[in-house]
Amino acid sequence: MDSVILRNVRPMGEGMTSVAIRNGRIAAFGYEPGPEDTVIDGEGGILIPGLVEAHTHMDKTLLGMGWYRNDVGPRLIDKIENERRQRRILGIDPARQSARQAVLAASLGTTHIRTHVDVDTEVGLAGIEGVLETRERYKDVVEIELVAFPQSGMLIRPGTVELMEKALQLGAQVVGGLDPAAIDRDPKGHLDVVFGLADRYGVPVDIHLHETAELGAFSMELIIERTKALGLQGRVTVSHAFCLGMADQDYVAALIDALAEARIHILTTAPASRPAPAVKRLVEAGIVVAAGSDGVRDTWGPYNNPDMLERAFLVGLRNNLRRDDEVALALDTCTHGGARMMELDGYGLAPDCKADLVVLEGETLAEAVVSRRPRKLVMKGGKVTARDGAALVEAP
Amino acid sequence: MDSVILRNVRPMGEGMTSVAIRNGRIAAFGYEPGPEDTVIDGEGGILIPGLVEAHTHMDKTLLGMGWYRNDVGPRLIDKIENERRQRRILGIDPARQSARQAVLAASLGTTHIRTHVDVDTEVGLAGIEGVLETRERYKDVVEIELVAFPQSGMLIRPGTVELMEKALQLGAQVVGGLDPAAIDRDPKGHLDVVFGLADRYGVPVDIHLHETAELGAFSMELIIERTKALGLQGRVTVSHAFCLGMADQDYVAALIDALAEARIHILTTAPASRPAPAVKRLVEAGIVVAAGSDGVRDTWGPYNNPDMLERAFLVGLRNNLRRDDEVALALDTCTHGGARMMELDGYGLAPDCKADLVVLEGETLAEAVVSRRPRKLVMKGGKVTARDGAALVEAP
């Protein structure tokens, strides 16, 4: 039959079985290998589908560049301006840096990444071009989706909209937005441009909404209105969505209903120091919740790393998800939640799904999440890409 | 001279030097070894004083007992009652379990632990006796301080006060308390007993205050009043202190002033899902802030482990401490903050301090904290107790 047989694995921590893989897809479970099959021993590990990093910034990680001593000011604008400055001073090469993060992420079991790539009047399209190079180079290891992201503002920096459009023509698959009121000072104008591009290019939308409380909620209302008006249900993500952690619980309940109706997805990094969306409540309302690391070891802060098991741990801590079924829900934001947000085809552990697989060390699923040990095995399209925490491809 | 020389280390990430250790204490820095000295190579690692675990529950960790499938209810009382029940069902042996945590903590660089030990009318003093056994057995590896802790309530369970007193006579060094209003339903009565025991036995106080907002603030006022009335300034800790994360900022400011004046310490686990004390603000007000893991892998929840570098990481995340100097402050809660709270004598990196030392792998102090790699070397009283993440003593 000429299959790859992954033996001695426990899908989602359940009973031991084997998985037959053919043509890069899951062919069957419980299959006994024949003489022509290639057998890989999962050594009793837990089998999960590939981890999905649904929000990061691969173009500007400082991985491998020596420690960046952070003495940046406290405001959002301090961090944005410092980063633009450091890009020149440090010489952050988007192709090299995104490649480093791609390989590190693959070693940690990530098989799909949505990355936001800066587009502005200083960097132009260099970030997009660099990450496109990485997307092509590592396409057999990790699938990368690019968001054209106006990090420095869009309307306040003339020329940015044109660059955003060029980014989509070059190969960015998603149009991004950012704090339409707080940064661009024009919520209607900002969102009209973002949704206009989505409509014209037939691409999904992903808007970074750090605006808190009533201001963020207003921007969210504008996003919901445009999603419905343009028939973009299921294709719009609001990242961060701190406003869903606001005090006014009646307003939050109304927003959740409206988000669910418009099939808008929520992406969270599960920040410990900020109001944040309540993951379990959103999931129970039928909203797709995905998780991401945000910027990894960059000029913004030192804590994030691209380990999506650690992100599941942080989602669990932030949302007080203690029971085993709740820890599984936290992990789900880093697997199926991200996959649904990114509209991934053939994702999961069912027969005929793509063989994007991770074998975890752990007694139970919850134990694997909280322990975050090196991944025993990672497969992309049925081929082994990492073993015992080490990627089989090299980073620059 | 017959010294131990720890070479090639960078105290707190600063310049490379060597440390001479004699009679279990730091004798000098920058000392060149003679022929009779024993030389240990720190391989360029960062030298910090021993990590201080200032709040845990060693008597009831489930380490090494197989995964506990958590399906406990959401209320505090659900968790307390479930734990008492599981103690019988699972057969949690306080001596064995505290020994396991002691060895794991030592392997992670912890040299001092304050542990709260359950005292109630069911377990009696068995927890205290078990942890006292561990304290004695591992005294050359990690110093353990016991708090007699009425986890199931004190006044609501007649007989508990007498057991608390016996615990202090047996060797517990601190008197504990717990939510005087929410659990014992009698804030004045509860605190009068706790402070009465502290006064009579000349021991410090450590009160777990989960009560939120105005209720917790009221209990805190009662604690401050008793601390001053009995001259216990510098000897009282409020653990958790969620009320300091309340919305009423004027009230919080007044409480911080009063805590600083009464020299009351604050212990935080830096919970991501709850209101919590603002670490930097407290430190700037002159308050000693320590950090702890709380219960490790117990029936309460799966996330905590006794790695105090991970706790520093979580303190940093919870308090949005991003700059390098702020990450150092987060680590300080896990070193000097805990040491001051526990009134440790001879703690630190200065000459004549006890040689309780950890060598971390990392380019800078902040990088060591966020990376949390296995500890290169741990010393207690000048003797090596762990290398490359593995303790040199065995756990049961």
Side-chain angles (χ1 to χ4, degrees), chain B residues 30-359:
Chain B
Y31 177 86
E32 278 306 302
E36 283 167 16
D37 295 328
T38 306
V39 176
I40 299 174
D41 193 349
E43 298 170 350
I46 297 172
L47 183 72
I48 65 167
L51 292 160
V52 181
E53 162 68 85
H55 184 116
T56 189
H57 296 265
M58 299 173 81
D59 55 322
K60 47 195 190 182
T61 176
L62 302 176
L63 283 169
M65 289 180 65
W67 185 253
Y68 170 71
R69 190 171 291 270
N70 188 317
D71 55 5
V72 184
R75 297 169 307 162
L76 183 60
I77 197 71
D78 297 331
K79 296 178 175 71
I80 292 174
E81 288 175 354
N82 174 65
E83 183 174 63
R84 257 202 336 273
R85 195 164 56 241
Q86 295 297 337
R87 201 160 58 196
R88 290 191 303 272
I89 297 171
L90 300 174
I92 306 174
D93 177 342
R96 182 190 63 206
Q97 293 310 113
S98 59
R100 286 178 178 166
Q101 186 171 336
V103 173
L104 179 56
S107 76
L108 293 161
T110 294
T111 54
H112 297 83
I113 299 175
R114 173 177 282 187
T115 185
H116 299 260
V117 185
D118 282 10
V119 172
D120 67 45
T121 51
E122 268 185 45
V123 76
L125 297 166
I128 295 282
E129 288 161 350
V131 181
L132 283 172
E133 205 179 305
T134 293
R135 180 174 80 183
E136 177 59 23
R137 183 166 168 198
Y138 293 96
K139 65 177 191 291
D140 297 332
V141 176
V142 57
E143 285 177 61
I144 299 171
E145 180 182 65
L146 282 79
V147 184
F149 177 56
Q151 172 78 75
S152 294
M154 195 168 62
L155 304 183
I156 52 167
R157 295 176 73 90
T160 306
V161 175
E162 293 73 12
L163 287 165
M164 292 278 290
E165 189 154 4
K166 280 196 189 133
L168 293 171
Q169 291 161 359
L170 268 179
Q173 298 119 303
V174 182
V175 57
L178 171 74
D179 292 338
I183 297 286
D184 248 1
R185 324 303 295 172
D186 179 1
K188 177 190 183 301
H190 180 94
L191 292 171
D192 281 349
V193 170
V194 169
F195 278 86
L197 288 170
D199 191 37
R200 238 166 334 122
Y201 287 87
V203 292
V205 172
D206 193 331
I207 294 171
H208 298 219
L209 192 61
H210 309 89
E211 295 163 5
T212 47
E214 277 73 6
L215 180 60
F218 172 65
S219 291
M220 192 173 266
E221 287 176 358
L222 298 184
I223 292 168
I224 294 166
E225 287 161 16
R226 281 158 183 74
T227 300
K228 289 158 78 174
L230 292 171
L232 284 171
Q233 290 90 339
R235 309 214 71 198
V236 174
T237 296
V238 179
S239 286
H240 307 308
F242 297 149
C243 62
L244 291 176
M246 71 199 268
D248 184 339
Q249 286 301 302
D250 290 339
Y251 199 167
V252 170
L255 282 172
I256 289 177
D257 286 347
L259 289 168
E261 198 207 327
R263 302 210 314 275
I264 292 175
H265 315 315
I266 298 295
L267 177 297
T268 189
T269 62
S273 65
R274 315 214 46 165
V279 166
K280 193 174 177 184
R281 185 173 171 192
L282 295 180
V283 169
E284 284 171 351
I287 295 171
V288 171
V289 180
S293 307
D294 216 338
V296 165
R297 303 286 158 89
D298 58 12
T299 63
W300 290 63
Y303 296 105
N304 297 336
N305 70 61
D307 184 351
M308 294 307 292
L309 271 199
E310 178 147 303
R311 191 55 49 184
F313 166 89
L314 294 171
V315 168
L317 272 178
R318 177 66 182 87
N319 291 276
N320 201 23
L321 303 174
R322 297 174 179 226
R323 295 201 322 255
D324 281 55
D325 61 332
E326 293 176 327
V327 178
L329 186 151
L331 177 61
D332 201 65
T333 65
C334 303
T335 53
H336 290 276
R340 289 174 68 190
M341 184 195 104
M342 288 174 64
E343 305 173 40
L344 297 183
D345 208 31
Y347 179 88
L349 288 188
D352 216 38
C353 286
K354 289 187 188 159
D356 298 337
L357 304 170
V358 188
V359 180

Side-chain angles (χ1 to χ4, degrees), chain A residues 12-51:
Chain A
M12 303 312 284
E14 301 298 323
M16 196 82 74
T17 186
S18 61
V19 190
I21 296 160
R22 274 193 289 277
N23 303 319
R25 289 180 180 267
I26 295 174
F29 285 90
Y31 177 86
E32 277 306 304
E36 282 167 17
D37 294 328
T38 306
V39 176
I40 299 174
D41 192 350
E43 296 169 351
I46 297 172
L47 184 71
I48 65 168
L51 292 160

Side-chain angles (χ1 to χ4, degrees), chain A residues 67 69-72 272-273 300 302-303 310 313 316-318 321-324 363-364 366-367 372, chain B residues 67 69-72 79 272-273 300 302-303 310 313 316-318 321-324 327 363-364 367 372:
Chain A
W67 186 252
R69 191 171 293 271
N70 187 320
D71 55 3
V72 184
S273 64
W300 290 64
Y303 296 105
E310 178 148 301
F313 166 89
L317 273 177
R318 178 65 182 86
L321 302 173
R322 297 173 179 227
R323 296 200 323 254
D324 282 55
E363 191 179 332
T364 66
E367 205 256 335
R372 295 159 282 157
Chain B
W67 185 253
R69 190 171 291 270
N70 188 317
D71 55 5
V72 184
K79 296 178 175 71
S273 65
W300 290 63
Y303 296 105
E310 178 147 303
F313 166 89
L317 272 178
R318 177 66 182 87
L321 303 174
R322 297 174 179 226
R323 295 201 322 255
D324 281 55
V327 178
E363 192 180 331
T364 66
E367 204 258 333
R372 297 159 281 158

